[in-house]
Each structure stands twice: as C-alpha cells, then as structure tokens.
Amino acid sequence: MTANGPQTVASSESSGSATDAAMTDDAPLGSPRVDDAVIESRDLDVYYGDDQALHGINMDIPERKVTALIGPSGCGKSTFLRSINRMNDLIDIARVDGDLYFHGKDVYDDDVDPVALRRKIGMVFQKPNPFPKSIFDNVAYGLRVQGKDDGDVEKKVRTALERAALLDEVEDQLDSSGLDLSGGQQQRLCIARAIAPDPEVILMDEPASALDPVATSKIEDLVEELAEEYTVVIVTHNMQQAARISDKTAVFLTGGHLVEFDDTGKIFENPESDRVEDYITGKFG
Amino acid sequence: MSTPESGTEEDAFAVNDPSIRRMRRYGRIFLGLCMVAALVGIVALIALLYDVVSEAWGWVTWEFITHPPSMIVDHYNPSNYGDLPTGPGGIYPALVGSIYLIVFTAIFTLVLGVGAAIYLEEYAGDNRLTQLIEANIANLAGVPSIVYGLLGLALFVRAIGAGSSLIAGALTLTLLILPIVIVQTQEALRAVPDSMRQASYGAGATKWQTIRSVVLPEAIPGIMTGIILSLSRAIGETAPIIMVGAATSMFGPPNLTDPTGSFAAMPMQIFEWAKAPEAEFQHVAAAGIVVLLTVLLLMNAVAIYIRNKYDRRG
Ligand SMILES: Nc1ncnc2c1ncn2[C@@H]1O[C@H](COP(=O)(O)OP(=O)(O)O)[C@@H](O)[C@H]1O
Ligand SMILES: [Mg+2]
C-alpha cells in the first residue's frame, strides 16, 4: 500500500511505455490497460493463511462495460471479485497485498471504510441468498441499511424489480416470502436487492451457475442491460456465457495467475497465450 | 431371514453370506437393547406421573390454586370446604411467586445470556482467551445448583443487600441457567447460514445492522426455545431457592413494590408440605406438584410452538 490514488489516475490516463513498465513481471498478456478504468488492480496478491490464492494481479475494469472473469475452478476468480469490495475482510485468514484502486483511491488504504465501499459496489452471489423476508423487504434491505429509505421506498423497490426483470412476475405478491420464488427468480431478486440502492459497480459471482438454462438466459440478458448503467464484473465458468455477454475477458489459470486480459472477441478468436487457447477450446480446464 | 437378493443372475453377490448374517444378528440385538433402554425411561416417567396424579386426584381444585396455604391439613380437603371458619388452603402465593421469579429470571437471562452469546459468537475473535471463556462456560453448566445457591446467598442476598427477595432469587436462577442459555444461543447464532451475513454485508450493511436485521431474526426461534426450556428447568429448582432463603410459606404473593421483600416459590412450598407429619399432606404436596408440572408443561408447549411457528425453512 505504497502508491496513492492520484498517481494511479494519472498513469491510467496515459498508455505509453512508462505505464507498461509499471506493470511488472506479473503483467498478463493482451491489453490489461483500458482508458476508462473504474477499478485498477496493481500487483494484487491475496493469501489465505500461508497459501497464496492470487499472484500479482494487474488489470483494469472499464466503466459501464461487462468484464468477465473466466478460468477453471479454484484459480482465484471469486477471491479476486471479493477483493474488489473487500468482502475478503470477512474471512479471518485472508490477507491482501498490493493495491486496488476504485476511482483512483486505493480501497485498502486505512481511511477507506469497507461498508461505504460496498455501498458503491454491490454484489450478487453464486447461490441465490434472499433473506427470509418478504420480496419487498428483500429489495428494500439495501435502501434501509444505507439510510436511503427516506424518499419513496415503494417506487425505488419497484424500479429495482423492474430493472431486474422480475416486477411482472411478482407484482401482486410483494408481501410474500422471497424464499417462495423459484431459483431463477430468487437470483433476480438478489440482483434487484443489489441495484436498489443504485451502486456504481455490480459484482456477480457465477450468478447463473445454480440455475436452469431458461433462467440462465434471463440473467444473461439482464447483465447486458445492466451494463448500460452499471459497471459489471461477472465471474463465470461458462465460456459461451462470457463470449456472449462480456466486453472484456480476463482469463485466470490454475495457481491464481491472470494469464490474459483483452477484449472478449480477441480472447475467444485469437488469444496470445497458448494455454488460454487450449483452455478456450476445451483442451483442459 | 429370507434374502430378497437371491434369484438375481449376479453370482458375484454371495447369497447368505454368513458374515453378513452374523452382523445382521448383532444389529438386531443392538436394536433390542436400544428399545429396552428407551422403554425404561418412558415407563419410569409414566409410573412417576401416575403416582403423583393419583395422589393428587381430587385435591387440585380452583380453590387450591387461588388460596394461600394453611397449617391445618383439613383446610385443603375439598370435602371440608363447606364448613371452614377461614378460607380453604392452597398454593396461590407460591404459584404467583414462581411466576414472578420466572419472569424476572427470563428478563435477566435474555439480556445477559443473549448479550454474552452475541459478543462471543459475532464479535470476539477466535483466540485463546475466547476459547478459554467458552470452555469455562461449558464447565459452569455442570456445576451443581446448590453452589449457585451459595453464590447467590453471598453475592446478592448479603453483599449487594438484596435480602431474601424475589430479585435475589431471580438473579441466582439467572446465574444457574446462564451457561446453558449462552451455549444454546451461540448454537442458534452459528446455525444462521453465512450466506445470509454475506448478503447483508454485500448490501452495504454494518456489522450491527447485519446482526440486528438478519442474524437475530433468524436465530430468535432457537434462542427463545433455549431460554424457555432452561427456564422450565429453573422453575423447579429448589436448592438455590433454599439457599437464598425463600420463605417456606407466605400468605400473600410477593409485593413487587418492595424489591427486598420475601417471597414464596412452588418447590419450597411443596417441600414444606411433603415433610409435614400428617399423612394427608402427601395429597397436598402431590397437588402442588401437579400445578408445578402443569406450569412446566405449558412453558415447554410454548417453546415447541415458537419453534414450529418460525421454523418454516425446510
Ligand atoms: N475462505 C477460504 N479459506 C481458505 N482458502 C480459500 C478460501 N476461499 C478460497 N480459498 C482457496 O483459494 C483458491 C481460489 O479459490 P476461489 O477464489 O474460490 O477460486 P474460483 O472462484 O476461481 O473457483 C482455492 O485454492 C481455494 O481453495
Ligand atoms: Mg468461485
């Protein structure tokens, strides 16, 4: 945690050789720098106890785009996602080294309040995890804990449900339990809960992995729409899904290394790394 | 025993394998032993209940529940109610005393037990000190109740000067059940899935908001059942109440405006009747036990009701 915010903002604006030099030995193949980065990861290491789960991750996440994180399971995708909104703080043995900038501010600086950070960076989890409360109260939860329930909560809840493509299905059962919904509906409810307080970034950890194909395609459509207003970072182990819905793709491979990061089209058509090519074409993973 | 497996074309499965048959036989013997063990408990309980209820039969009347005790055994006998100079004898002050005692104990336990459990489970890190504290709490749950009675006598009755009062009794019973309540509350908190906490933190909640709005509502059925079951144990405890110096017989319910005044409780009252020389007092004691057991069963029923009502996640 040596570098400070302003430096990084400056470096991300230029894209000359100086910045490339700043990306040290762990720089991934491809073009890990983007012009309109909201989140910049610099030499980010994450450890669980003595085990290192991520090795010097360097990548930028562009604003209002969908960035996909793909790779075989156990390669650190979820770990990276959780380090963006400091959910790793909740794991006792997790330790983070290096820098992660959000709008040029290192979120691991001492003066950053993780709760305030998470109010800007919402999250959707792998397994739908609605609260055992009513549909309405689920969506209103973020508004209430963030003190954004002074205005018209009802309207905000309906807007969020609408954006999460769930309103039509639950319109006249807002008072019934969120647990009574199907898995796909529950996940969209969780998405509505995440966007109701209007964050800037939405992190999604394999949001469709527990769902059937129809529910999955609904979530995929939704993700593309969300990117019109939000910066979306989505973990998936489904490569077709990444190819369909993302603008940028980061490929993590075993051991917690980011191997290549580039435009999604480039990654899937003409990756620079042979290992990425093998992974994409299904030769391993 | 016939083997349904026989007749299949798979020769690889030896039919009537003697070692399997032997194991099955052991299994049946074990099952038999378990059933006997279960029956012993149930039969003993039924015998006990039968004994008490038959002793008390005809003696538990509305008058018994609503009147203060009497020194004269005839006053308890329903057949004499008609020609008594004074009112009939009953358990009223002790019944009310026990209920007050339980209410106060419930309040103290809720605050202290749930507070301690939340601290240990949600705030304290998993270090040596908390492990030591938790191990000691588990040990305290096994300390005989008379020891808590002695502590209550020294601490609440004498040192704090609460006297032989309802408050001193309730604090003593609180100490007695606190370890169990803490352990059970911790278990209820631990049973709240981590995904709920993550959902809350992910939505931008602070720790306190997460505990208040997500963890506690989820854990409350478990916490309440734990507390009520502990209270129903406390209501029957005699030793600590004796040590604290509850009155053996009071002629009115405790006075809530005088926190150091004395009080009667059902276990003491029943004990008093049971040791009286007149044989007929055994019926009175049994009637008292029936009242005590009824309160106890009602409390357990409430606990079960709460558990079922809130336990809607499959
Ligand atoms: N809470 C944790 N405690 C200890 N090790 C963990 C924890 N979470 C993940 N790991 C380890 O970190 C590595 C990366 O895990 P993860 O980020 O979940 O990978 P992915 O999401 O790509 O499947 C794995 O080796 C995993 O075992
Ligand atoms: Mg994962």
Side-chain angles (χ1 to χ4, degrees), chain B residues 234-246:
Chain B
I235 197 176
E237 276 292 348
T238 320
I241 299 291
I242 295 179
M243 295 311 300
V244 170

PDB file of all heavy atoms in Angstrom, chain B residues 234-246:
ATOM      1  N   ALA B 234     -35.396 -24.080  35.580  1.00  0.00           N
ATOM      2  CA  ALA B 234     -35.164 -23.216  36.742  1.00  0.00           C
ATOM      3  C   ALA B 234     -36.371 -23.163  37.665  1.00  0.00           C
ATOM      4  O   ALA B 234     -36.223 -23.088  38.877  1.00  0.00           O
ATOM      5  CB  ALA B 234     -34.804 -21.805  36.267  1.00  0.00           C
ATOM      6  N   ILE B 235     -37.565 -23.231  37.092  1.00  0.00           N
ATOM      7  CA  ILE B 235     -38.767 -23.069  37.917  1.00  0.00           C
ATOM      8  C   ILE B 235     -38.903 -24.199  38.922  1.00  0.00           C
ATOM      9  O   ILE B 235     -39.495 -24.034  39.992  1.00  0.00           O
ATOM     10  CB  ILE B 235     -40.039 -22.958  37.038  1.00  0.00           C
ATOM     11  CG1 ILE B 235     -41.192 -22.371  37.849  1.00  0.00           C
ATOM     12  CG2 ILE B 235     -40.431 -24.274  36.451  1.00  0.00           C
ATOM     13  CD1 ILE B 235     -42.438 -22.144  37.037  1.00  0.00           C
ATOM     14  N   GLY B 236     -38.337 -25.354  38.621  1.00  0.00           N
ATOM     15  CA  GLY B 236     -38.437 -26.483  39.548  1.00  0.00           C
ATOM     16  C   GLY B 236     -37.274 -26.576  40.514  1.00  0.00           C
ATOM     17  O   GLY B 236     -37.250 -27.439  41.388  1.00  0.00           O
ATOM     18  N   GLU B 237     -36.258 -25.712  40.331  1.00  0.00           N
ATOM     19  CA  GLU B 237     -35.065 -25.788  41.175  1.00  0.00           C
ATOM     20  C   GLU B 237     -35.400 -25.414  42.613  1.00  0.00           C
ATOM     21  O   GLU B 237     -36.025 -24.384  42.870  1.00  0.00           O
ATOM     22  CB  GLU B 237     -33.984 -24.851  40.637  1.00  0.00           C
ATOM     23  CG  GLU B 237     -33.154 -25.465  39.535  1.00  0.00           C
ATOM     24  CD  GLU B 237     -32.274 -26.595  40.035  1.00  0.00           C
ATOM     25  OE1 GLU B 237     -32.136 -26.751  41.267  1.00  0.00           O
ATOM     26  OE2 GLU B 237     -31.732 -27.331  39.191  1.00  0.00           O
ATOM     27  N   THR B 238     -34.968 -26.234  43.555  1.00  0.00           N
ATOM     28  CA  THR B 238     -35.250 -25.965  44.955  1.00  0.00           C
ATOM     29  C   THR B 238     -34.013 -25.484  45.698  1.00  0.00           C
ATOM     30  O   THR B 238     -34.068 -24.531  46.463  1.00  0.00           O
ATOM     31  CB  THR B 238     -35.780 -27.239  45.640  1.00  0.00           C
ATOM     32  OG1 THR B 238     -36.653 -27.892  44.732  1.00  0.00           O
ATOM     33  CG2 THR B 238     -36.521 -26.906  46.903  1.00  0.00           C
ATOM     34  N   ALA B 239     -32.881 -26.151  45.436  1.00  0.00           N
ATOM     35  CA  ALA B 239     -31.674 -25.881  46.224  1.00  0.00           C
ATOM     36  C   ALA B 239     -31.292 -24.398  46.228  1.00  0.00           C
ATOM     37  O   ALA B 239     -31.089 -23.820  47.305  1.00  0.00           O
ATOM     38  CB  ALA B 239     -30.526 -26.747  45.722  1.00  0.00           C
ATOM     39  N   PRO B 240     -31.188 -23.750  45.065  1.00  0.00           N
ATOM     40  CA  PRO B 240     -30.758 -22.344  45.093  1.00  0.00           C
ATOM     41  C   PRO B 240     -31.752 -21.468  45.831  1.00  0.00           C
ATOM     42  O   PRO B 240     -31.363 -20.528  46.536  1.00  0.00           O
ATOM     43  CB  PRO B 240     -30.693 -21.943  43.619  1.00  0.00           C
ATOM     44  CG  PRO B 240     -30.891 -23.156  42.824  1.00  0.00           C
ATOM     45  CD  PRO B 240     -31.429 -24.231  43.703  1.00  0.00           C
ATOM     46  N   ILE B 241     -33.040 -21.811  45.710  1.00  0.00           N
ATOM     47  CA  ILE B 241     -34.074 -21.017  46.363  1.00  0.00           C
ATOM     48  C   ILE B 241     -33.976 -21.163  47.877  1.00  0.00           C
ATOM     49  O   ILE B 241     -34.136 -20.191  48.621  1.00  0.00           O
ATOM     50  CB  ILE B 241     -35.461 -21.487  45.866  1.00  0.00           C
ATOM     51  CG1 ILE B 241     -35.580 -21.289  44.364  1.00  0.00           C
ATOM     52  CG2 ILE B 241     -36.571 -20.766  46.572  1.00  0.00           C
ATOM     53  CD1 ILE B 241     -35.639 -19.860  43.969  1.00  0.00           C
ATOM     54  N   ILE B 242     -33.665 -22.385  48.322  1.00  0.00           N
ATOM     55  CA  ILE B 242     -33.478 -22.586  49.767  1.00  0.00           C
ATOM     56  C   ILE B 242     -32.316 -21.748  50.260  1.00  0.00           C
ATOM     57  O   ILE B 242     -32.396 -21.048  51.266  1.00  0.00           O
ATOM     58  CB  ILE B 242     -33.196 -24.078  50.072  1.00  0.00           C
ATOM     59  CG1 ILE B 242     -34.415 -24.926  49.731  1.00  0.00           C
ATOM     60  CG2 ILE B 242     -32.807 -24.267  51.537  1.00  0.00           C
ATOM     61  CD1 ILE B 242     -34.203 -26.406  49.978  1.00  0.00           C
ATOM     62  N   MET B 243     -31.199 -21.802  49.514  1.00  0.00           N
ATOM     63  CA  MET B 243     -30.005 -21.077  49.939  1.00  0.00           C
ATOM     64  C   MET B 243     -30.274 -19.580  50.019  1.00  0.00           C
ATOM     65  O   MET B 243     -29.817 -18.902  50.930  1.00  0.00           O
ATOM     66  CB  MET B 243     -28.837 -21.326  48.978  1.00  0.00           C
ATOM     67  CG  MET B 243     -28.322 -22.748  48.938  1.00  0.00           C
ATOM     68  SD  MET B 243     -27.997 -23.442  50.563  1.00  0.00           S
ATOM     69  CE  MET B 243     -26.781 -22.312  51.166  1.00  0.00           C
ATOM     70  N   VAL B 244     -30.984 -19.072  49.013  1.00  0.00           N
ATOM     71  CA  VAL B 244     -31.252 -17.635  49.006  1.00  0.00           C
ATOM     72  C   VAL B 244     -32.202 -17.273  50.136  1.00  0.00           C
ATOM     73  O   VAL B 244     -32.251 -16.129  50.585  1.00  0.00           O
ATOM     74  CB  VAL B 244     -31.820 -17.220  47.634  1.00  0.00           C
ATOM     75  CG1 VAL B 244     -32.336 -15.809  47.645  1.00  0.00           C
ATOM     76  CG2 VAL B 244     -30.743 -17.370  46.570  1.00  0.00           C
ATOM     77  N   GLY B 245     -32.950 -18.264  50.623  1.00  0.00           N
ATOM     78  CA  GLY B 245     -33.803 -18.031  51.782  1.00  0.00           C
ATOM     79  C   GLY B 245     -35.211 -17.635  51.437  1.00  0.00           C
ATOM     80  O   GLY B 245     -35.806 -16.768  52.091  1.00  0.00           O
ATOM     81  N   ALA B 246     -35.752 -18.268  50.406  1.00  0.00           N
ATOM     82  CA  ALA B 246     -37.153 -18.021  50.098  1.00  0.00           C
ATOM     83  C   ALA B 246     -37.996 -18.466  51.287  1.00  0.00           C
ATOM     84  O   ALA B 246     -37.647 -19.403  51.993  1.00  0.00           O
ATOM     85  CB  ALA B 246     -37.557 -18.796  48.846  1.00  0.00           C
TER      86      ALA B 246
END
